[in-house]
Structures are given as C-alpha cells and as structure tokens.
Amino acid sequence: MTPTAPRGRQPRRTRGRWVAAALVSAPLVWFAPAAAVPDAAATVTPDDTYRADIHRAGADPAERADGLRADIDAILADPMLEGATSGVVVTDAVTGEVLYSDEADTRLLPASNMKPFTTAAALRVLGADHTFGTEAVVERRPGRGDVDELYLVGGGDPALDGEDLDAMAAEVAASGVTSVGDLYADDSWFDDERLVDDWWPEDEPYAYSAQISALTVAHGDRHDTGVTEVTVTATGEGEPVSVDPGAAAGYVELDNRAVTGSAGGEDTLVVDRPVGTNTIEVTGSLPADSGPRAVLRTVDQPAGLAGHLFAQGLEEHGVTVGGEVARAEVPDEWHRPRVVAEHTSPPLDELLVPLVKFSNNGHAEMLVKSIGREVSGEGSWDAGLAAQEAALRDLGVDTSDLVLTDGSGLSRGNRVTADTVVDLLARVQEAPWYEVWHHSLPVAGDSDPFVGGTLARRMGGTPAAGAVQAKTGTMTGVSALSGYVRGPGGELYFSVVNNGHSGYAPTRVQDAIAVRLAEYLGNRVPERAALSRRGAVAGGGELECSWELTC
C-alpha cells in the first residue's frame, strides 16, 4: 500500500439543546412475516398475521407484488408526509423487476444519501487499500541537532489523532533533532477553502460542519475531525462553571460567562464558537447537581490545532520549540527535504466504517478533495466533484439527474433521484470492492454502534433487523433511507427520499417500508419481539442521530 504522503509542495438548527424526539402514535401496522425462516423458537402469533395467504412464499407472484404496492401506498399516506414529496423505488435485485415506483425521477435533496456516491467514487479512484500519509520534514541534511524550521505536512488523513502526532514527535526526537526554531503546519495538499459556500454559518460550531483541511486531528473512536471536546462542570451555586477546552487548550480562546445555578434549577447552558472566531463561548446556567457536560465544538483552522499538539509532543519528547507555531507551506526552494517522522493511516476500506456508519461529513469532504488531488493534482471541491462524477459514470451509473455540490450531503444544492440511487446500488455490485462498500452501510437493529451505526436504534425487533443494510440521511425537511434488503426470498434494492415534510423526520415511514420489504422476502421475527414492537413509534430528529450524538 502506497501512502499519499506529500513531500514538499506536492442544515440548519437552533442553538442550544436539542429537543427530545416526541413519541407519536403511528397509524401503521407492522406487517407479519412472509415465510418461515428455520428457527424453532421463532413463531408469530395469529394477531400478528396480515393477509399471510398473499405474502406467503409460493403464493401467486403477481398477487404478492400487488399486495406489496398497496401496503407501501398505505404507509406513504402517513400524516407525517403531508405536503411532502417522496421519491420511492423498490427493485428486485435478481430479476431487475421494478416492484414499486413513485416520483422516481424527481430530483430531490439527498442529505447523507450523497455519501454512498462519494465513497463508491473514492473506491473507484483511490482503491480499497489506499492510505493517507503525514510527514515531518526539515531542510538540511543530516538535519540533526538544532534545525531552524520543521514542517508538519498533511496528506488528507481523516484518522490522524493526538497519539499519532505524539508518536511522530518521538520519531523526530529519535532522528537526532534536539531543538526547532519555528514549527509550521502545512495543509496545502488541499486548497484553502474550508467550508462549502452554501453550508449554513450557524452550523459552524458543530462537529458535522467542521472546517475541511488536509491536516486535521481526529477525536475519539469515530474520528470526528476539526473539533475539540469541551467539558463544563458545575461548581458552587452562583460561581462560574469550570470549563476544560480539551485538546484545544492553549489553541482556542475561552470566554466563560456561564454560572452554576441552584440544584434542580433550569439548565440553560450553551457552548458556542461564534462565526469568524477561534473562541469557545460558554453562557447560561448549569444546575449545581448536574454532572459534567461534554460537547464537541469545532476549531478555526484545524491545521493550526495539529501544529499546536505536535509542538506539545515535541517538548514532551525533549525537542524544544523556540520560535513560532504557525501555518505555512514548505518553501519551493527546499529540494528533497529530509523526512524525520512519518505516519500512515489505515487503508480506505477500514476508514469507510466510521465514515458511513456514523455519517461523518468531514471524512466525506476529505475524500472528495483527495479524489481531485489524485486525478488532477488539485485538492479542491471543484476538481474532486468533477472527478467523482466521472468515476460514477465509469461504474455505469446514469448521472444525468445527479447534481453534486459537496460529498457529504450537507449542502442543499445537491440533487438525486430515487432511480439514480437504486442505479448506484445495482452498479456497485459488479465492482471488486463491493463487499467493502456494502460492509460500511449501517445494519438495522444491531446495537453495536460500529455495525448498526445510524440504524442501531431503528427496526430492532422487526423482520428488518439484520436484514436491512442501508444509508440514512436527515436534515431539516429532508430525510432518506436507501440500501439493500436480504432474505430467504432474495434481495431487493430500495430508496426512499422524503423532502418538504415539517417537524420530525419521517423515519417511522421509512422503517415501515423497510420492514414490509423484509417480510416480502420471507424474514420474520420471534414472538417476543413481535409483541413488543406494537404501539407508539418515534419520529426522527432534524439531523442524523450521530450528529446529535444520540446514536
């Protein structure tokens, strides 16, 4: 595996707390399983059965298909979709028969249903074994002892974290460097556009809208980039709260105007980063009996934070940094600089798991710019999106109805049709990396977050659990679910893209369709789960659950 290691110059939300999702009564029936799956303990009670004679394997195929279409029509009549437009397509993967189609060629906002297009193009262009490199370089040889300048050069690694930077700092010390004059962070592998033009400015403090840089620091096992974890702790009543800016301490400014309120009092705490600043602003009140509150907030210029942490690591390993720590490019006149430390990321096939399972926007945008860099030597959105569309066409995807303005789906300029999504789902099955791509999709009802991802808390205890593997997508007024359903009766491709609804995301509608498709293929659920799945079904929030830190 060859790392991409540069050498030299080579939706809107209101601020404050999220409103908890309300439970709403669902006018839907969780339909009964179609056919038996070998499992002596799995039975279905008679009251769970709905027209089983039609859905049972061996029944007339035309009648079964008619029943499926009637049921999906009934599901889409849910009041949650009043005034909305929904593109819905269901196709038999084996025969190619279109079992259901409505508004199939209507261009709609995809939200995070854009990510399957981005990751498929990345695998096509970069390859599943592609890695990303980061280097520390100096000019003179042998480059030991005191060096005037040291550059930390980013290569678009979305998983580079503080431990990796510390290991690189130790490597610099082991190379014989004892002191550094100036330390520079070089993120010129990508251009200097940090945000897509139509991303909403009020989203900038939140992790799902972090700035994009070729040199950034990942946080936690989900690799959120360009952020720091801010922890706020109550003190004595009437006293200022305690604020720990996390990894960005010393890099960000802190404006703490929040106070500790009385025990049992109202929680009005807000942690913000005002647009155009690198200041963590904390306001409001945190009750004295509250536990510590930890939130992720973005930083300005992520490469600067990487340089800051690298400088700390150098000092801890005995390499003094005497001058400034800033952002700059390796000088043009440096020919073949000496590499004194390097780090290589995991391969792309591993990186896709946190990207897709948790709908990581930063990773998707870094992939777009990496695609551009690979194809045309330009790490920009313009170059990357053009190369992405070309790669999709190479896969056989009809891109005539596809409009790409970013790689994550956060932009409201993107457009897809349900037909185009299903076309992608079919075309990628011929690619050598298909299993890698398919594996990255969230699995319905699987409580392991690195398997279930954004579907971990959806469709559990239904025939769809474990049988549906699909990508979610949610922004205000936009929601989607597209992917695969497998069962004893075969495999289906499906796409549900909802636009223009008000209030909560219609995830219960999407889930009901997916459950019905799972039943159509003969999946079923044990009696104990069937009994527990009745009653109220919650709508989704206004953003992906991973962005709201609820899954």
Side-chain angles (χ1 to χ4, degrees):
M1 297 179 289
T2 303
T4 304
R7 296 182 181 273
R9 294 193 64 184
Q10 303 275 329
R12 184 167 308 201
R13 50 152 287 175
T14 54
R15 293 182 182 178
R17 293 178 296 161
W18 291 102
V19 179
L23 292 179
V24 289
S25 179
L28 305 175
V29 176
W30 288 115
F31 300 109
V37 177
D39 180 354
T43 59
V44 179
T45 57
D47 64 323
D48 255 342
T49 304
Y50 181 78
R51 300 195 305 183
D53 56 323
I54 293 179
H55 306 318
R56 195 175 305 281
D60 180 74
E63 287 189 73
R64 294 185 65 234
D66 287 344
L68 177 67
R69 283 188 284 272
D71 292 343
I72 294 176
D73 282 340
I75 292 168
L76 290 171
D78 191 291
M80 291 192 85
L81 293 179
E82 184 177 357
T85 301
S86 297
V88 183
V89 175
V90 179
T91 301
D92 188 300
V94 177
T95 67
E97 179 186 2
V98 177
L99 298 174
Y100 189 91
S101 179
D102 188 37
E103 299 282 0
D105 58 356
T106 300
R107 288 184 174 184
L108 299 169
L109 286 168
S112 289
N113 265 216
M114 184 55 65
K115 291 184 175 74
F117 292 94
T118 300
T119 52
L123 287 165
R124 172 79 177 184
V125 172
L126 304 175
D129 61 350
H130 184 87
T131 57
F132 304 86
T134 307
E135 295 177 342
V137 301
V138 296
E139 178 188 20
R140 63 185 176 87
R141 297 175 181 276
R144 298 185 176 91
D146 301 333
V147 298
D148 293 333
E149 297 176 334
L150 186 150
Y151 287 78
L152 178 66
V153 186
D157 183 354
L160 182 75
D161 62 20
E163 290 185 3
D164 298 328
L165 290 172
D166 184 72
M168 289 183 67
E171 195 175 338
V172 171
S175 75
V177 174
T178 56
S179 69
V180 173
D182 297 321
L183 172 63
Y184 296 111
D186 182 348
D187 61 352
S188 59
W189 192 246
F190 295 164
D191 67 4
D192 59 3
E193 288 190 57
R194 300 287 172 241
L195 302 166
V196 175
D197 289 343
D198 72 346
W199 287 1
W200 285 338
E202 55 266 49
D203 287 340
E204 287 187 29
Y206 306 102
Y208 60 84
S209 189
Q211 295 181 16
I212 307 304
S213 170
L215 178 59
T216 189
V217 183
H219 169 82
D221 55 5
R222 300 187 183 190
H223 303 321
D224 291 297
T225 54
V227 300
T228 188
E229 184 174 29
V230 180
T231 303
V232 182
T233 306
T235 58
E237 183 176 344
E239 298 295 321
V241 298
S242 172
V243 181
D244 178 2
Y251 179 67
V252 297
E253 299 293 326
L254 182 61
D255 180 9
N256 179 17
R257 288 177 276 132
V259 298
T260 303
S262 60
E266 184 180 5
D267 184 345
T268 61
L269 186 74
V270 175
V271 181
D272 197 7
R273 181 178 68 81
V275 174
T277 76
N278 203 26
T279 300
I280 300 298
E281 179 185 271
V282 187
T283 58
S285 175
L286 183 66
D289 55 348
S290 296
R293 178 77 53 77
V295 298
L296 296 182
R297 290 295 178 263
T298 59
V299 300
D300 187 50
Q301 297 295 347
L305 175 58
H308 173 77
L309 294 177
F310 192 51
Q312 289 182 343
L314 289 171
E315 294 281 359
E316 290 172 2
H317 289 283
V319 180
T320 60
V321 180
E324 67 173 339
V325 179
R327 291 176 54 247
E329 296 182 31
V330 175
D332 287 335
E333 59 269 23
W334 281 24
H335 300 293
R336 300 180 64 188
R338 180 181 179 225
V339 178
V340 291
E342 57 188 338
H343 173 76
T344 302
S345 77
L348 181 57
D349 59 1
E350 293 182 23
L351 295 173
L352 286 187
V353 171
L355 190 168
V356 182
K357 299 287 188 186
F358 304 114
S359 208
N360 191 307
N361 291 343
H363 288 208
E365 305 305 344
M366 293 177 77
L367 281 186
V368 169
K369 293 195 174 190
S370 294
I371 291 170
R373 185 79 198 202
E374 179 75 15
V375 171
S376 63
E378 180 184 327
S380 69
W381 272 295
D382 285 345
L385 292 171
Q388 176 176 328
E389 186 170 351
L392 292 169
R393 287 196 300 269
D394 288 345
L395 286 169
V397 177
D398 181 356
T399 62
S400 58
D401 288 323
L402 189 63
V403 179
L404 305 173
T405 54
D406 71 7
S408 65
L410 189 59
S411 168
R412 289 180 178 266
N414 296 304
R415 291 294 186 275
V416 302
T417 68
D419 261 346
T420 305
V421 177
V422 168
D423 191 24
L424 174 72
L425 296 172
R427 299 291 182 178
V428 295
Q429 289 202 324
E430 302 302 316
W433 37 259
Y434 166 69
E435 290 301 330
V436 167
W437 185 86
H438 184 273
H439 173 71
S440 70
L441 295 170
V443 178
D446 195 309
S447 61
D448 182 342
F450 280 85
V451 178
T454 53
L455 288 180
R457 297 185 180 181
R458 291 173 61 175
M459 293 175 271
T462 76
V468 170
Q469 197 152 1
K471 183 68 193 77
T472 59
T474 307
M475 299 190 302
T476 302
V478 182
S479 191
L481 182 69
S482 303
Y484 304 93
V485 188
R486 290 174 174 173
E491 181 178 19
L492 303 175
Y493 310 139
F494 76 97
S495 179
V496 182
V497 184
N498 307 118
N499 278 196
H501 51 273
S502 58
Y504 292 116
T507 54
R508 78 181 189 204
V509 174
Q510 298 159 11
D511 291 357
I513 292 174
V515 169
R516 181 64 184 87
L517 297 179
E519 293 169 338
Y520 180 83
L521 292 178
N523 293 295
R524 68 177 192 173
V525 66
E527 177 181 315
R528 58 186 179 277
L531 294 175
S532 67
R533 60 195 166 117
R534 295 189 172 278
V537 180
E542 290 190 351
L543 293 177
E544 290 275 26
C545 62
S546 55
W547 302 356
E548 298 178 295
L549 303 181
T550 58
C551 65

